[in-house]
Amino acid sequence: MNWELKTFEELSNTALYKILQLRCEVFVVEQNCPYLDEDDKDQECYHFMCWKDGLLAAYTRILPAGLAFEEASIGRVVTSAKARGEGLGRSLMLESIKALYQLYGEVPIKIGAQLYLRDFYLSLGFLQVSDSYLEDNIPHIKMLKTIATDNL
């Protein structure tokens, strides 16, 4: 596996295409969610990618404080269907948290998590900080990680 962290400007055309393709495959097609994924935030984010044998196996985007939430954030967390069942989601989040801390220091991290993943994020040191709400017709909750050393 090869982990890469890039700004929007550093992404090659091929990498950007693979990111958008993976996000569309999972968020639009697999989750049957016909909402626009591109939200004009990508240009201000870092893009964290896991490549495995030429496949974009997993991806997150790392958002600075003030872009999505008052706190820094990790979003668009996605693992390719071709790479699931190997614990890659946990590795992806742990590596993304480390990357965020390297970029911004050990700051609080707020996420908008799909409700069914609540226990997964709890296991990473996030706490639920909102009631359930619908985003793109999918139940979500806001979660916050304030202690940098948890589970890293």
Side-chain angles (χ1 to χ4, degrees), residues 14-43:
T14 300
L16 179 59
Y17 182 86
K18 292 296 183 184
I19 289 167
L20 296 175
Q21 184 179 46
L22 177 59
R23 286 172 21 181
C24 184
E25 283 174 5
V26 175
F27 299 137
V28 178
V29 177
E30 182 180 313
Q31 294 182 353
N32 193 27
C33 186
Y35 295 91
L36 187 62
D37 174 56
E38 293 80 11
D39 59 4
D40 286 321
K41 292 179 182 171
D42 286 317
Q43 299 90 326

Side-chain angles (χ1 to χ4, degrees), residues 106-117:
E106 294 183 355
V107 297
I109 303 170
K110 191 173 224 177
I111 61 173
Q114 291 187 7
L115 182 59
Y116 84 95
L117 291 168

Side-chain angles (χ1 to χ4, degrees), residues 1-5 22 47-60 78 80 83 88 91-92 95:
M1 286 188 298
N2 180 33
W3 300 97
E4 288 185 330
L5 177 69
L22 177 59
H47 300 270
F48 193 68
M49 300 158 281
C50 176
W51 298 93
K52 185 176 179 183
D53 301 324
L55 170 73
L56 180 58
Y59 165 87
T60 62
V78 62
S80 170
L88 185 55
S91 297
L92 173 66
E95 293 297 325

